[in-house]
Amino acid sequence: MTSGTLAHALAYAGLGWAVLPLQPGQKVPLNGQGLHHATRDERVIEGWFTACPQAGIGVALETSGLVAVDIDPRNGGDLELRDRLPPTLTAATGGGGLHLVYRAPRGARLRGTLGPGIDVKHRGYVAVEPSRHPSGKAYNWIDFEPLEGELPDIADAPAELLLPATAAPSLSVDGGATIGEGGRNSALAAIAGRLRRDGLSADAERARRERGAR
């Protein structure tokens, strides 16, 4: 039987996201498997998570054509920023913050930070469900609806939040989505179904049902 973590990792890879194993309960790569080892190769992924079923899962953002807005209230991040950005796939981090995941636009330039405790990540990786944070708490998808349609482009966010000021540090976003335009919606629907079958958190599933009832 496929473990929950392996099933998640394979499902993410099926979406076109490049994954890497993380040390259990940590945010650092497992056994030297750094960012450049991130892959969608199912055989490699099966080897990693069969050998260490407790490993966490990291998603390489640039390789996967993604951007993550990381809101960390421990460092002053305002969680209400979420209400000012386009609704998207959202995860609760084990540290009490949020990861808002968007599709990366081609050629756009974004701030590296939106203020204290709010970072725009594209070059590195983020931990994803069912990984565990050093606090012992798990990462959980809390808004899963976007996986049943195309992820929004971060370039659709309010310009005053994302366009760099003259002297503001910025990063170039030049990665594209790894799933072709014609196949992205079907791939998103497929991963949504697979994760619900193979380990989507009860809280996320309950939230989906509640939204559907409204």
Side-chain angles (χ1 to χ4, degrees):
M1 178 181 294
T2 302
S3 72
T5 302
L6 174 57
H8 275 73
L10 291 173
Y12 295 138
L15 182 57
W17 297 357
V19 303
L20 66 153
L22 306 179
Q23 293 182 21
Q26 302 294 322
K27 295 189 288 184
V28 297
L30 178 69
N31 297 332
Q33 302 294 339
L35 185 62
H36 63 286
H37 287 107
T39 185
R40 305 175 189 88
D41 188 312
E42 291 189 357
R43 291 184 181 179
V44 174
I45 293 169
E46 287 175 356
W48 285 338
F49 293 98
T50 299
C52 186
Q54 297 80 28
I57 304 172
V59 171
L61 294 167
E62 184 175 22
T63 307
S64 304
L66 301 173
V67 172
V69 177
D70 181 2
I71 306 176
D72 186 354
R74 297 171 303 172
N75 293 315
D78 183 0
L79 295 176
E80 292 184 2
L81 174 66
R82 180 187 181 194
D83 298 330
R84 299 168 59 194
L85 294 173
T88 191
L89 179 62
T90 302
T93 72
L98 296 174
H99 285 161
L100 281 64
V101 181
Y102 293 91
R103 187 162 47 93
R106 290 183 179 276
R109 293 184 66 81
L110 308 173
R111 290 180 185 269
T113 179
L114 302 181
I118 303 173
D119 295 325
V120 180
K121 296 184 175 181
H122 179 59
R123 301 296 187 193
Y125 61 89
V126 292
V128 293
E129 184 178 326
S131 306
R132 289 201 171 272
H133 186 269
S135 68
K137 297 180 180 179
Y139 290 80
N140 290 301
W141 297 118
I142 59 174
D143 190 346
F144 212 71
E145 200 67 30
L147 282 184
E148 297 185 0
E150 184 174 328
L151 284 177
D153 195 314
I154 198 170
D156 295 333
E160 66 271 17
L161 293 177
L162 298 178
L163 294 181
T166 303
S170 61
L171 53 88
S172 175
V173 177
D174 53 13
T178 56
I179 301 173
E181 291 295 332
R184 187 179 295 114
N185 286 349
S186 60
L188 289 167
I191 192 174
R194 184 168 186 176
L195 289 184
R196 280 197 293 272
R197 290 193 303 272
D198 294 336
L200 175 62
S201 71
D203 288 344
E205 182 64 21
R206 188 180 307 112
R208 286 194 73 260
R209 290 197 300 268
E210 290 174 352
R211 285 197 301 273
R214 288 199 291 266

